[in-house]
Amino acid sequence: MTPVAKSASQTAEITGLYRYPIKGLTPEPLRRAPLRTGQTLPADRRYAIENGPSGFNPEQPEWKPKIQFLMLARNERLAQLDSRFDDATNVLTIRKDGQIVASGDLETAAGRAAIERYFAENFQPELKGPPKLLSGRDHSFSDVARKVVSIINLGSVRAIEAMLGGAAVHPLRFRANLYVKGWPAWSELDLVGQTLAIGQARLKVVKRIVRCPATNVDPVTAKRDLEIPPTLSRHLGHMDCGIYAEVIEGGEIGIGDAVAVEEPKLL
């Protein structure tokens, strides 16, 4: 079993910042983004595509397990699509092989219907029922029931490549919000309960991320070509890679910003 590093005391640096406006679809890179207390990155997982009736009520949104939605863990063909969401117009545009295949304003019935029609026509036999574009107030369709920011340590990604015998592992397999460099491999797993400082923002690490088969899908080729969770289990005895953090003080963050582990205040 590979030993786990015990210190992430040194400062890390943000090298990648991403949001995922529609669960399961394309990561959208950001240069900078505001963080608000108790919230995700703006528009992160704002929408999801229901795969069969889930009981989700947009007027009283409650967390539902990801199995209720189209997702990469089971629907790797989603990675063949290139989607872009425009905040100003709420228009989602989906391309495949460079050609627009669907477009619609997700805040209108007609726009949602246009997107739903594309998936209804093109995602058989994965569908368990009519696909439905869901949103609910400021609800986030996260894999966990709390509003979080996900963080991946690129040192751990490099360690996974070594476990796989040198196979390249694209960091976007992990669909994180923040990618950081500078921490020893796996040291982030020991940060649960600690506070990260990024400029004026403060984030409390609340949970390790248990990886699912979505990480086996190459985000460029859409091929299910690696076995990352079983590899983690064999080498580490668990399938964790990355951490979830809650925003406890707001502030703007961006590429190149330092991520420091705050020392506990002495009473």
Side-chain angles (χ1 to χ4, degrees), residues 73-139:
R74 290 196 172 184
N75 316 114
E76 63 266 29
R77 287 201 294 135
L78 293 172
Q80 297 175 346
L81 306 177
D82 177 21
S83 64
R84 289 293 179 271
F85 178 74
D86 183 86
D87 294 272
T89 62
N90 296 312
V91 169
L92 175 68
T93 302
I94 302 177
R95 291 177 172 84
K96 184 178 181 185
D97 300 326
Q99 300 297 315
I100 294 177
V101 294
S103 181
D105 179 345
L106 300 189
E107 293 302 309
T108 68
R112 292 192 296 272
I115 301 300
E116 292 164 356
R117 186 161 53 249
Y118 173 78
F119 285 99
E121 293 172 354
N122 292 279
F123 272 74
Q124 301 289 351
E126 293 102 318
L127 296 176
K128 302 173 184 176
K132 186 176 181 181
L133 203 295
L134 298 180
S135 66
R137 299 179 179 176
D138 66 346
H139 182 74

Side-chain angles (χ1 to χ4, degrees), residues 19 29 42 56 69 80 85 93 108 127 132-133 165 168 172 198 207 227 229 240-241 259 263 265:
R19 69 173 190 172
F56 181 81
F69 312 110
Q80 297 175 346
F85 178 74
T93 302
T108 68
L127 296 176
K132 186 176 181 181
L133 203 295
L172 285 179
I198 310 174
K207 195 176 189 299
E227 292 194 347
D240 302 344
C241 181
V259 182
E263 294 296 327
K265 294 179 181 178

Side-chain angles (χ1 to χ4, degrees), residues 93-197:
T93 302
I94 302 177
R95 291 177 172 84
K96 184 178 181 185
D97 300 326
Q99 300 297 315
I100 294 177
V101 294
S103 181
D105 179 345
L106 300 189
E107 293 302 309
T108 68
R112 292 192 296 272
I115 301 300
E116 292 164 356
R117 186 161 53 249
Y118 173 78
F119 285 99
E121 293 172 354
N122 292 279
F123 272 74
Q124 301 289 351
E126 293 102 318
L127 296 176
K128 302 173 184 176
K132 186 176 181 181
L133 203 295
L134 298 180
S135 66
R137 299 179 179 176
D138 66 346
H139 182 74
S140 175
F141 292 91
S142 171
D143 284 355
V144 292
R146 56 212 303 180
K147 290 188 177 179
V148 290
V149 173
S150 57
I151 304 171
I152 282 288
N153 173 11
L154 292 175
S156 299
V157 177
R158 301 289 84 83
I160 292 172
E161 290 180 331
M163 293 175 184
L164 292 167
V169 175
H170 197 306
L172 285 179
R173 286 178 184 263
F174 299 94
R175 297 181 67 79
N177 297 127
L178 274 64
Y179 292 87
V180 304
K181 68 176 183 180
W183 286 336
W186 310 118
S187 60
E188 74 279 9
L189 300 181
D190 295 308
L191 292 177
V192 175
Q194 299 200 52
T195 298
L196 305 178

Side-chain angles (χ1 to χ4, degrees), residues 8-81:
S9 57
Q10 65 257 50
T11 298
E13 176 187 333
I14 298 175
T15 63
L17 182 61
Y18 292 86
R19 69 173 190 172
Y20 306 79
I22 294 79
K23 186 177 185 69
L25 296 187
T26 307
E28 296 189 359
L30 305 169
R31 292 298 303 175
R32 304 197 66 77
L35 290 180
R36 292 189 297 134
T37 302
Q39 299 298 318
T40 65
L41 279 181
D44 191 54
R45 276 83 173 185
R46 177 176 166 182
Y47 301 94
I49 302 164
E50 184 183 60
N51 186 7
S54 68
F56 181 81
N57 181 354
E59 297 303 318
Q60 295 179 305
E62 295 181 350
W63 181 83
K64 298 288 183 182
K66 61 186 175 184
I67 192 69
Q68 302 282 357
F69 312 110
L70 288 177
M71 56 167 181
L72 285 172
R74 290 196 172 184
N75 316 114
E76 63 266 29
R77 287 201 294 135
L78 293 172
Q80 297 175 346
L81 306 177

